[in-house]
Amino acid sequence: MKRIISLVLCGTLLASLAACSGGSSGGQTSTQQSEAAGKENETAAPAQTGSDKGTVKIGVLLPFTGASAYSAELAREGYDYAVEYYNGQGGIKSLGGAKLEIVYADTTGVTEVGVTEFERLVNVEKIDIASGPYNSAVMGAVAPLAEKYQMPFVVNQASSLNIYTAGYTYVFNPSNDARTNVQGLIGICDMVEELYGDKIDGIGLIMENTEWGLSQKETFEKYFTDAGKKVMINETIEPGATDFSSQISKLKASGVKFVVPCISSYNDAVLFVRQMKEYNCNAGILASGGVFVVPEFAQALGDDANYIFSTDTWNKGFLESKGEKAVKIHDGYVEKYGHDMGENAGMAWIAMSTIVAALEEAGTKDKQTVRDTLYGLNLPADSEYMLLVPFEGMKFDEIDESGCLNHNKYGLSCISQLIDGKWKMVWPNEMLGEHNPLVWPIPE
């Protein structure tokens, strides 16, 4: 393990408000958004206030069956643990101690199913607020319905930028997206260059042919190029492929220093890394989270997975900087579930903490009021709701540099490295105190 000095990643990315031209909100104030939403939703079903004043019903969409089922189960753990924790702290105090209650719905990872299940949660289950859904394609289909039904929706995982540049005023993203993912990967490249003098400018992109993969493909190429990292290969693969030898041969022949695989299927990810080893392709890997950071991935590949880098929006590496209480909360999770929280559960926790903070501040379950409260939310890093959140704060009320509305301005994608079978946070360095476990150069 190596000690490395503190580093602040410097870099200015081009801001563009034009990206929001397709949405009606633009830079509107909260009041203007409310008025616009009201006009657009004159035929929408009336907002529900919940059937039981003693509870707050949270509808959570997740793909419990299908290719993303394992990640969904980990996310469920995060949601359940957050509900258990906040209910144990007295529930929503501004609502007289109202308890949180989750109603789950299985999207199967299919857009049509996600739409049907969301409408069931709204019209049958009478939920007060929504979260989920893991898959970008599902979120893209559900977002217009959140607007139609005036249902506040706090996303846990869905990174496609086109969801957030469409101007939806009821959809809030407290964590990462495709832009922050590539910024994190650029961050670790720049950090290696500054510390060790190894310039990393030869990148190969391997993107699956899905809504999520194609969104990442466009965003990653732009930001890597803008940061001076030459993209030498940009290949699309089909989900469920049984052979990646063609793409790996191209990577090997090009001499890329790092390959960036955006692959959502666990089996596909394992096969891709195995075949890279079989074909002696020695390019490093900068993965995009998801199935790469689940415990089974490292177990399946053993030593072949060591020293891979990946976006990892939630990793326990930052907890000590948050203090003993944060560590203790995470210890309770480990005791309950037998493993560290990890990205999927951690991002569910972030979504739930955001929801609880908004409900406490709103003091009501009225959906428009909750939406307006989320819009104006401004949590500092030392807020009780930020104990297990690896960001400098939580603030939504502006359009970010990618033209995304209602994306946490402090949201980022941390980077971890797989070291001796464990994912360990290595970027941003300033979150890690005196010791950073980064291993560089990557051992042969």
Side-chain angles (χ1 to χ4, degrees):
M1 293 193 183
K2 305 182 185 231
R3 180 189 300 262
I4 61 178
I5 61 174
S6 295
L7 169 69
V8 176
L9 174 67
C10 298
T12 305
L13 293 172
L14 199 58
S16 174
L17 296 181
C20 253
S21 60
S24 60
S25 308
Q28 292 174 323
T29 65
S30 180
T31 301
Q32 289 171 329
Q33 285 186 346
S34 298
E35 292 173 352
K39 291 178 182 178
E40 293 171 2
N41 291 286
E42 289 176 348
T43 61
Q48 303 290 335
T49 57
S51 59
D52 183 352
K53 293 182 180 180
T55 63
V56 178
K57 295 184 73 172
I58 304 162
V60 175
L61 295 164
L62 287 172
F64 292 115
T65 55
S68 303
Y70 180 70
S71 296
E73 289 297 339
L74 292 174
R76 188 207 295 262
E77 290 179 0
Y79 279 111
D80 287 347
Y81 189 65
V83 165
E84 178 182 314
Y85 173 79
Y86 284 113
N87 281 343
Q89 298 294 304
I92 307 300
K93 300 175 184 65
S94 67
L95 292 174
K99 300 300 183 182
L100 303 167
E101 175 191 339
I102 291 184
V103 182
Y104 287 107
D106 181 10
T107 69
T108 73
V110 175
T111 56
E112 294 82 1
V113 177
V115 165
T116 299
E117 286 299 285
F118 179 71
E119 293 197 310
R120 180 181 66 81
L121 289 174
V122 173
N123 296 316
V124 179
E125 298 292 345
K126 307 298 184 185
I127 61 171
D128 299 298
I129 193 166
S131 189
Y134 186 82
N135 303 100
S136 288
V138 174
M139 190 65 234
V142 166
L145 295 176
E147 207 75 1
K148 172 185 175 181
Y149 291 111
Q150 301 180 35
M151 177 62 65
F153 198 117
V154 178
V155 177
N156 75 324
Q157 290 166 281
S159 61
S160 295
L161 291 182
N162 57 11
I163 299 167
Y164 309 111
T165 58
Y168 299 122
T169 63
Y170 278 82
V171 176
F172 294 82
N173 178 8
S175 52
N176 72 317
D177 58 27
R179 174 185 58 88
T180 64
N181 286 346
V182 69
Q183 285 178 328
L185 297 177
I186 290 169
I188 193 65
C189 292
D190 287 346
M191 183 169 140
V192 164
E193 181 177 345
E194 179 162 329
L195 294 174
Y196 299 100
D198 295 335
K199 185 172 178 60
I200 299 171
D201 60 1
I203 303 295
L205 302 180
I206 300 293
M207 305 290 177
E208 71 176 23
N209 187 20
T210 62
E211 170 73 19
W212 172 72
L214 295 178
S215 171
Q216 303 275 87
K217 178 184 176 81
E218 180 179 351
T219 304
F220 277 41
E221 183 165 28
K222 175 188 185 308
Y223 280 94
F224 270 120
T225 301
D226 289 350
K229 317 294 182 188
K230 184 178 180 181
V231 176
M232 302 171 68
I233 296 286
N234 193 340
E235 290 280 308
T236 301
I237 60 174
E238 294 300 321
T242 58
D243 182 23
F244 297 113
S245 59
S246 174
Q247 292 85 3
I248 292 171
S249 295
K250 291 179 182 178
L251 290 169
K252 187 175 178 180
S254 72
V256 298
K257 291 188 177 180
F258 271 96
V259 57
V260 181
C262 288
I263 300 173
S264 64
S265 164
Y266 168 80
N267 290 332
D268 290 0
V270 170
L271 177 62
F272 180 80
V273 176
R274 278 190 177 141
Q275 289 195 320
M276 280 193 65
K277 296 296 181 181
E278 290 171 6
Y279 285 85
N280 296 314
C281 182
N282 295 320
I285 293 178
L286 298 171
S288 191
V291 295
F292 283 87
V293 294
V294 301
E296 278 68 15
F297 176 81
Q299 294 168 12
L301 288 164
D303 291 343
D304 285 346
N306 262 338
Y307 312 117
I308 289 175
F309 293 98
S310 180
T311 59
D312 193 10
T313 302
W314 202 101
N315 181 288
K316 70 175 184 178
F318 74 97
L319 287 177
E320 287 190 9
S321 67
K322 287 285 188 173
E324 291 183 6
K325 186 174 181 180
V327 173
K328 185 176 180 180
I329 294 170
H330 179 259
D331 287 346
Y333 177 91
V334 175
E335 183 178 352
K336 185 177 181 68
Y337 295 108
H339 54 82
D340 290 337
M341 189 171 274
E343 182 177 75
N344 295 286
M347 293 176 76
W349 176 282
I350 293 171
M352 282 300 307
S353 293
T354 304
I355 288 170
V356 171
L359 288 167
E360 283 287 10
E361 187 171 324
T364 177
K365 295 188 287 185
D366 175 74
K367 293 175 177 56
Q368 184 168 316
T369 303
V370 172
R371 188 280 303 266
D372 290 346
T373 303
L374 280 164
Y375 182 78
L377 203 63
N378 189 3
L379 302 177
D382 60 356
S383 165
E384 62 180 306
Y385 305 108
M386 298 291 291
L387 276 172
L388 267 64
V389 180
F391 310 142
E392 293 181 7
M394 189 76 67
K395 192 172 189 292
F396 294 105
D397 63 345
E398 57 188 68
I399 299 172
D400 70 18
E401 61 199 69
S402 296
C404 295
L405 178 66
N406 294 342
H407 178 217
N408 177 22
K409 67 173 291 185
Y410 300 106
L412 57 86
S413 301
C414 302
I415 304 298
S416 292
Q417 185 179 27
L418 192 56
I419 303 169
D420 298 328
K422 298 287 185 181
W423 284 105
K424 299 182 180 181
M425 184 184 289
V426 294
W427 185 90
N429 187 57
E430 58 268 24
M431 287 186 184
L432 302 174
E434 295 184 359
H435 299 280
N436 188 320
L438 175 73
V439 173
W440 190 269
I442 296 175
E444 293 292 338

Short mmCIF file of all heavy atoms in Angstrom, two decimals, residues 205-249:
data_model
loop_
_atom_site.label_atom_id
_atom_site.label_comp_id
_atom_site.label_asym_id
_atom_site.label_seq_id
_atom_site.Cartn_x
_atom_site.Cartn_y
_atom_site.Cartn_z
N LEU A 205 -13.09 2.52 -25.30
CA LEU A 205 -14.44 2.46 -24.75
C LEU A 205 -15.16 1.22 -25.27
O LEU A 205 -15.20 0.97 -26.48
CB LEU A 205 -15.25 3.70 -25.14
CG LEU A 205 -14.68 5.06 -24.71
CD1 LEU A 205 -15.61 6.19 -25.19
CD2 LEU A 205 -14.49 5.14 -23.21
N ILE A 206 -15.72 0.43 -24.35
CA ILE A 206 -16.52 -0.75 -24.70
C ILE A 206 -17.89 -0.54 -24.07
O ILE A 206 -18.05 -0.67 -22.86
CB ILE A 206 -15.89 -2.06 -24.18
CG1 ILE A 206 -14.49 -2.25 -24.77
CG2 ILE A 206 -16.78 -3.25 -24.50
CD1 ILE A 206 -14.48 -2.49 -26.26
N MET A 207 -18.89 -0.21 -24.87
CA MET A 207 -20.19 0.18 -24.36
C MET A 207 -21.29 -0.77 -24.85
O MET A 207 -21.37 -1.05 -26.05
CB MET A 207 -20.53 1.61 -24.82
CG MET A 207 -19.46 2.64 -24.45
SD MET A 207 -19.43 2.91 -22.67
CE MET A 207 -18.06 4.06 -22.51
N GLU A 208 -22.10 -1.25 -23.92
CA GLU A 208 -23.17 -2.16 -24.33
C GLU A 208 -24.28 -1.40 -25.06
O GLU A 208 -24.50 -0.20 -24.83
CB GLU A 208 -23.75 -2.90 -23.12
CG GLU A 208 -24.56 -2.06 -22.17
CD GLU A 208 -25.16 -2.90 -21.05
OE1 GLU A 208 -24.63 -3.98 -20.76
OE2 GLU A 208 -26.16 -2.45 -20.47
N ASN A 209 -24.97 -2.11 -25.94
CA ASN A 209 -26.01 -1.52 -26.76
C ASN A 209 -27.34 -1.47 -26.01
O ASN A 209 -28.29 -2.20 -26.32
CB ASN A 209 -26.15 -2.31 -28.07
CG ASN A 209 -27.09 -1.64 -29.05
OD1 ASN A 209 -27.36 -0.45 -28.95
ND2 ASN A 209 -27.60 -2.41 -29.98
N THR A 210 -27.39 -0.61 -24.99
CA THR A 210 -28.60 -0.37 -24.21
C THR A 210 -28.75 1.14 -24.03
O THR A 210 -27.83 1.91 -24.34
CB THR A 210 -28.54 -1.03 -22.83
OG1 THR A 210 -27.44 -0.45 -22.09
CG2 THR A 210 -28.35 -2.54 -22.94
N GLU A 211 -29.89 1.57 -23.51
CA GLU A 211 -30.11 2.99 -23.22
C GLU A 211 -28.98 3.53 -22.36
O GLU A 211 -28.43 4.61 -22.63
CB GLU A 211 -31.46 3.16 -22.50
CG GLU A 211 -31.71 4.55 -21.94
CD GLU A 211 -32.01 5.60 -22.99
OE1 GLU A 211 -32.38 5.21 -24.11
OE2 GLU A 211 -31.86 6.79 -22.69
N TRP A 212 -28.64 2.80 -21.31
CA TRP A 212 -27.58 3.22 -20.41
C TRP A 212 -26.22 3.25 -21.10
O TRP A 212 -25.49 4.25 -21.05
CB TRP A 212 -27.53 2.28 -19.20
CG TRP A 212 -26.36 2.49 -18.30
CD1 TRP A 212 -26.15 3.54 -17.45
CD2 TRP A 212 -25.21 1.63 -18.16
NE1 TRP A 212 -24.95 3.39 -16.78
CE2 TRP A 212 -24.36 2.22 -17.20
CE3 TRP A 212 -24.84 0.42 -18.74
CZ2 TRP A 212 -23.15 1.64 -16.81
CZ3 TRP A 212 -23.65 -0.16 -18.35
CH2 TRP A 212 -22.81 0.45 -17.40
N GLY A 213 -25.89 2.17 -21.81
CA GLY A 213 -24.59 2.09 -22.45
C GLY A 213 -24.39 3.15 -23.52
O GLY A 213 -23.32 3.76 -23.61
N LEU A 214 -25.41 3.39 -24.34
CA LEU A 214 -25.28 4.38 -25.40
C LEU A 214 -25.17 5.79 -24.84
O LEU A 214 -24.47 6.65 -25.40
CB LEU A 214 -26.46 4.27 -26.37
CG LEU A 214 -26.54 2.94 -27.14
CD1 LEU A 214 -27.78 2.91 -28.02
CD2 LEU A 214 -25.28 2.70 -27.97
N SER A 215 -25.87 6.07 -23.74
CA SER A 215 -25.75 7.37 -23.08
C SER A 215 -24.33 7.57 -22.56
O SER A 215 -23.73 8.64 -22.72
CB SER A 215 -26.75 7.49 -21.94
OG SER A 215 -26.51 8.66 -21.17
N GLN A 216 -23.79 6.51 -21.93
CA GLN A 216 -22.42 6.60 -21.42
C GLN A 216 -21.43 6.79 -22.58
O GLN A 216 -20.47 7.56 -22.47
CB GLN A 216 -22.07 5.32 -20.67
CG GLN A 216 -22.99 4.96 -19.52
CD GLN A 216 -22.62 5.64 -18.22
OE1 GLN A 216 -23.02 6.76 -17.94
NE2 GLN A 216 -21.85 4.96 -17.43
N LYS A 217 -21.66 6.09 -23.68
CA LYS A 217 -20.76 6.14 -24.83
C LYS A 217 -20.55 7.58 -25.32
O LYS A 217 -19.42 8.04 -25.49
CB LYS A 217 -21.35 5.29 -25.96
CG LYS A 217 -20.58 5.24 -27.27
CD LYS A 217 -21.38 4.44 -28.28
CE LYS A 217 -20.74 4.42 -29.66
NZ LYS A 217 -19.65 3.42 -29.74
N GLU A 218 -21.66 8.29 -25.51
CA GLU A 218 -21.58 9.66 -26.00
C GLU A 218 -20.92 10.58 -24.98
O GLU A 218 -20.04 11.38 -25.32
CB GLU A 218 -23.00 10.16 -26.32
CG GLU A 218 -23.05 11.58 -26.85
CD GLU A 218 -24.47 12.02 -27.16
OE1 GLU A 218 -25.38 11.17 -27.13
OE2 GLU A 218 -24.66 13.21 -27.45
N THR A 219 -21.33 10.45 -23.73
CA THR A 219 -20.81 11.33 -22.69
C THR A 219 -19.34 11.06 -22.42
O THR A 219 -18.53 11.99 -22.30
CB THR A 219 -21.61 11.16 -21.39
OG1 THR A 219 -23.00 11.39 -21.66
CG2 THR A 219 -21.14 12.13 -20.32
N PHE A 220 -18.96 9.78 -22.34
CA PHE A 220 -17.58 9.43 -22.02
C PHE A 220 -16.63 9.91 -23.11
O PHE A 220 -15.56 10.44 -22.81
CB PHE A 220 -17.45 7.91 -21.85
CG PHE A 220 -17.83 7.43 -20.48
CD1 PHE A 220 -18.92 7.95 -19.81
CD2 PHE A 220 -17.10 6.44 -19.85
CE1 PHE A 220 -19.29 7.51 -18.56
CE2 PHE A 220 -17.44 5.98 -18.58
CZ PHE A 220 -18.54 6.52 -17.93
N GLU A 221 -17.00 9.71 -24.37
CA GLU A 221 -16.09 10.14 -25.44
C GLU A 221 -15.87 11.64 -25.40
O GLU A 221 -14.74 12.12 -25.55
CB GLU A 221 -16.65 9.72 -26.80
CG GLU A 221 -15.72 10.08 -27.96
CD GLU A 221 -16.07 9.38 -29.25
OE1 GLU A 221 -17.24 9.04 -29.46
OE2 GLU A 221 -15.13 9.16 -30.05
N LYS A 222 -16.93 12.40 -25.17
CA LYS A 222 -16.82 13.85 -25.12
C LYS A 222 -15.89 14.30 -24.00
O LYS A 222 -14.96 15.09 -24.21
CB LYS A 222 -18.20 14.49 -24.94
CG LYS A 222 -18.16 16.00 -24.76
CD LYS A 222 -19.51 16.57 -24.38
CE LYS A 222 -19.50 18.08 -24.30
NZ LYS A 222 -18.43 18.64 -23.45
N TYR A 223 -16.13 13.80 -22.79
CA TYR A 223 -15.39 14.32 -21.64
C TYR A 223 -13.95 13.81 -21.60
O TYR A 223 -13.04 14.55 -21.21
CB TYR A 223 -16.12 14.00 -20.34
CG TYR A 223 -17.26 14.96 -20.08
CD1 TYR A 223 -18.56 14.66 -20.47
CD2 TYR A 223 -17.03 16.18 -19.47
CE1 TYR A 223 -19.59 15.55 -20.24
CE2 TYR A 223 -18.05 17.08 -19.23
CZ TYR A 223 -19.34 16.76 -19.63
OH TYR A 223 -20.35 17.64 -19.42
N PHE A 224 -13.71 12.57 -22.00
CA PHE A 224 -12.33 12.10 -22.09
C PHE A 224 -11.56 12.94 -23.11
O PHE A 224 -10.41 13.35 -22.87
CB PHE A 224 -12.27 10.63 -22.49
CG PHE A 224 -12.28 9.67 -21.34
CD1 PHE A 224 -13.30 8.73 -21.20
CD2 PHE A 224 -11.28 9.70 -20.38
CE1 PHE A 224 -13.31 7.84 -20.13
CE2 PHE A 224 -11.28 8.81 -19.31
CZ PHE A 224 -12.30 7.88 -19.18
N THR A 225 -12.18 13.21 -24.25
CA THR A 225 -11.52 14.00 -25.29
C THR A 225 -11.25 15.42 -24.81
O THR A 225 -10.15 15.96 -24.99
CB THR A 225 -12.37 14.02 -26.57
OG1 THR A 225 -12.57 12.67 -27.03
CG2 THR A 225 -11.68 14.82 -27.66
N ASP A 226 -12.25 16.04 -24.18
CA ASP A 226 -12.08 17.40 -23.68
C ASP A 226 -10.98 17.49 -22.63
O ASP A 226 -10.35 18.53 -22.46
CB ASP A 226 -13.39 17.92 -23.07
CG ASP A 226 -14.46 18.20 -24.13
OD1 ASP A 226 -14.12 18.18 -25.33
OD2 ASP A 226 -15.63 18.42 -23.75
N ALA A 227 -10.77 16.38 -21.90
CA ALA A 227 -9.74 16.36 -20.86
C ALA A 227 -8.36 15.97 -21.41
O ALA A 227 -7.40 15.82 -20.65
CB ALA A 227 -10.13 15.38 -19.75
N GLY A 228 -8.26 15.83 -22.72
CA GLY A 228 -6.97 15.51 -23.33
C GLY A 228 -6.61 14.05 -23.27
O GLY A 228 -5.44 13.69 -23.43
N LYS A 229 -7.61 13.17 -23.05
CA LYS A 229 -7.37 11.73 -23.03
C LYS A 229 -7.87 11.16 -24.36
O LYS A 229 -9.07 11.09 -24.60
CB LYS A 229 -8.12 11.05 -21.88
CG LYS A 229 -8.07 11.79 -20.56
CD LYS A 229 -6.67 11.83 -19.97
CE LYS A 229 -6.70 12.53 -18.62
NZ LYS A 229 -5.34 12.78 -18.10
N LYS A 230 -6.96 10.76 -25.22
CA LYS A 230 -7.33 10.32 -26.55
C LYS A 230 -8.12 9.02 -26.50
O LYS A 230 -7.69 8.04 -25.91
CB LYS A 230 -6.09 10.12 -27.41
CG LYS A 230 -6.40 9.75 -28.86
CD LYS A 230 -5.12 9.61 -29.68
CE LYS A 230 -5.45 9.24 -31.12
NZ LYS A 230 -4.20 9.08 -31.93
N VAL A 231 -9.32 9.03 -27.12
CA VAL A 231 -10.13 7.82 -27.23
C VAL A 231 -9.73 7.11 -28.52
O VAL A 231 -10.01 7.58 -29.62
CB VAL A 231 -11.63 8.16 -27.22
CG1 VAL A 231 -12.46 6.89 -27.43
CG2 VAL A 231 -12.02 8.83 -25.91
N MET A 232 -9.08 5.96 -28.38
CA MET A 232 -8.53 5.25 -29.53
C MET A 232 -9.47 4.19 -30.09
O MET A 232 -9.40 3.84 -31.27
CB MET A 232 -7.19 4.61 -29.13
CG MET A 232 -6.17 5.62 -28.63
SD MET A 232 -4.68 4.87 -27.92
CE MET A 232 -3.94 4.13 -29.37
N ILE A 233 -10.34 3.65 -29.24
CA ILE A 233 -11.30 2.64 -29.65
C ILE A 233 -12.64 2.99 -29.01
O ILE A 233 -12.71 3.35 -27.83
CB ILE A 233 -10.89 1.22 -29.17
CG1 ILE A 233 -9.58 0.80 -29.83
CG2 ILE A 233 -11.98 0.20 -29.45
CD1 ILE A 233 -9.69 0.43 -31.27
N ASN A 234 -13.74 2.88 -29.77
CA ASN A 234 -15.08 3.11 -29.23
C ASN A 234 -16.00 2.06 -29.83
O ASN A 234 -16.56 2.24 -30.91
CB ASN A 234 -15.57 4.52 -29.56
CG ASN A 234 -16.79 4.92 -28.76
OD1 ASN A 234 -17.50 4.06 -28.23
ND2 ASN A 234 -17.05 6.22 -28.67
N GLU A 235 -16.14 0.92 -29.11
CA GLU A 235 -16.87 -0.23 -29.62
C GLU A 235 -18.18 -0.43 -28.87
O GLU A 235 -18.27 -0.18 -27.66
CB GLU A 235 -16.02 -1.49 -29.46
CG GLU A 235 -14.82 -1.55 -30.38
CD GLU A 235 -15.19 -2.00 -31.78
OE1 GLU A 235 -15.85 -3.04 -31.93
OE2 GLU A 235 -14.81 -1.29 -32.73
N THR A 236 -19.20 -0.90 -29.58
CA THR A 236 -20.48 -1.26 -28.97
C THR A 236 -20.61 -2.78 -28.96
O THR A 236 -20.27 -3.44 -29.96
CB THR A 236 -21.65 -0.64 -29.76
OG1 THR A 236 -21.50 0.77 -29.79
CG2 THR A 236 -22.98 -0.99 -29.11
N ILE A 237 -21.08 -3.32 -27.84
CA ILE A 237 -21.28 -4.77 -27.73
C ILE A 237 -22.74 -5.06 -27.42
O ILE A 237 -23.45 -4.22 -26.87
CB ILE A 237 -20.38 -5.38 -26.63
CG1 ILE A 237 -20.70 -4.76 -25.26
CG2 ILE A 237 -18.91 -5.21 -26.97
CD1 ILE A 237 -19.98 -5.40 -24.10
N GLU A 238 -23.18 -6.25 -27.78
CA GLU A 238 -24.55 -6.65 -27.51
C GLU A 238 -24.65 -7.34 -26.14
O GLU A 238 -23.81 -8.19 -25.81
CB GLU A 238 -25.05 -7.61 -28.59
CG GLU A 238 -25.19 -6.97 -29.96
CD GLU A 238 -26.15 -5.79 -29.97
OE1 GLU A 238 -27.21 -5.88 -29.28
OE2 GLU A 238 -25.86 -4.80 -30.64
N PRO A 239 -25.64 -6.99 -25.34
CA PRO A 239 -25.82 -7.67 -24.05
C PRO A 239 -26.02 -9.17 -24.26
O PRO A 239 -26.65 -9.59 -25.22
CB PRO A 239 -27.09 -7.02 -23.48
CG PRO A 239 -27.20 -5.71 -24.17
CD PRO A 239 -26.64 -5.92 -25.55
N GLY A 240 -25.44 -9.98 -23.37
CA GLY A 240 -25.59 -11.42 -23.47
C GLY A 240 -24.65 -12.07 -24.46
O GLY A 240 -24.81 -13.26 -24.77
N ALA A 241 -23.66 -11.33 -24.96
CA ALA A 241 -22.70 -11.91 -25.90
C ALA A 241 -21.91 -13.03 -25.22
O ALA A 241 -21.66 -13.00 -24.01
CB ALA A 241 -21.75 -10.84 -26.42
N THR A 242 -21.51 -14.02 -26.00
CA THR A 242 -20.75 -15.15 -25.45
C THR A 242 -19.28 -15.08 -25.81
O THR A 242 -18.50 -15.95 -25.43
CB THR A 242 -21.33 -16.48 -25.96
OG1 THR A 242 -21.30 -16.48 -27.40
CG2 THR A 242 -22.75 -16.66 -25.47
N ASP A 243 -18.89 -14.04 -26.54
CA ASP A 243 -17.49 -13.94 -26.96
C ASP A 243 -17.16 -12.48 -27.23
O ASP A 243 -17.83 -11.80 -28.02
CB ASP A 243 -17.26 -14.77 -28.23
CG ASP A 243 -15.82 -14.73 -28.68
OD1 ASP A 243 -14.93 -14.44 -27.84
OD2 ASP A 243 -15.56 -14.98 -29.88
N PHE A 244 -16.12 -11.98 -26.55
CA PHE A 244 -15.66 -10.59 -26.74
C PHE A 244 -14.29 -10.56 -27.40
O PHE A 244 -13.60 -9.54 -27.35
CB PHE A 244 -15.61 -9.86 -25.39
CG PHE A 244 -16.93 -9.73 -24.71
CD1 PHE A 244 -17.18 -10.40 -23.53
CD2 PHE A 244 -17.93 -8.92 -25.24
CE1 PHE A 244 -18.40 -10.29 -22.88
CE2 PHE A 244 -19.15 -8.79 -24.60
CZ PHE A 244 -19.40 -9.48 -23.42
N SER A 245 -13.88 -11.66 -28.01
CA SER A 245 -12.52 -11.74 -28.55
C SER A 245 -12.25 -10.70 -29.63
O SER A 245 -11.14 -10.17 -29.73
CB SER A 245 -12.24 -13.14 -29.10
OG SER A 245 -13.17 -13.48 -30.12
N SER A 246 -13.26 -10.39 -30.45
CA SER A 246 -13.08 -9.41 -31.51
C SER A 246 -12.74 -8.04 -30.93
O SER A 246 -11.78 -7.38 -31.36
CB SER A 246 -14.34 -9.33 -32.38
OG SER A 246 -14.23 -8.28 -33.32
N GLN A 247 -13.53 -7.60 -29.95
CA GLN A 247 -13.28 -6.28 -29.34
C GLN A 247 -11.95 -6.26 -28.59
O GLN A 247 -11.20 -5.28 -28.64
CB GLN A 247 -14.42 -5.93 -28.38
CG GLN A 247 -15.75 -5.65 -29.05
CD GLN A 247 -16.55 -6.92 -29.32
OE1 GLN A 247 -16.14 -8.02 -28.96
NE2 GLN A 247 -17.69 -6.76 -29.98
N ILE A 248 -11.62 -7.37 -27.90
CA ILE A 248 -10.39 -7.42 -27.13
C ILE A 248 -9.17 -7.42 -28.05
O ILE A 248 -8.14 -6.78 -27.75
CB ILE A 248 -10.39 -8.65 -26.21
CG1 ILE A 248 -11.46 -8.47 -25.12
CG2 ILE A 248 -9.02 -8.87 -25.57
CD1 ILE A 248 -11.73 -9.70 -24.28
N SER A 249 -9.27 -8.09 -29.19
CA SER A 249 -8.17 -8.07 -30.17
C SER A 249 -7.91 -6.65 -30.67
O SER A 249 -6.75 -6.24 -30.83
CB SER A 249 -8.50 -9.00 -31.33
OG SER A 249 -8.57 -10.35 -30.90
#
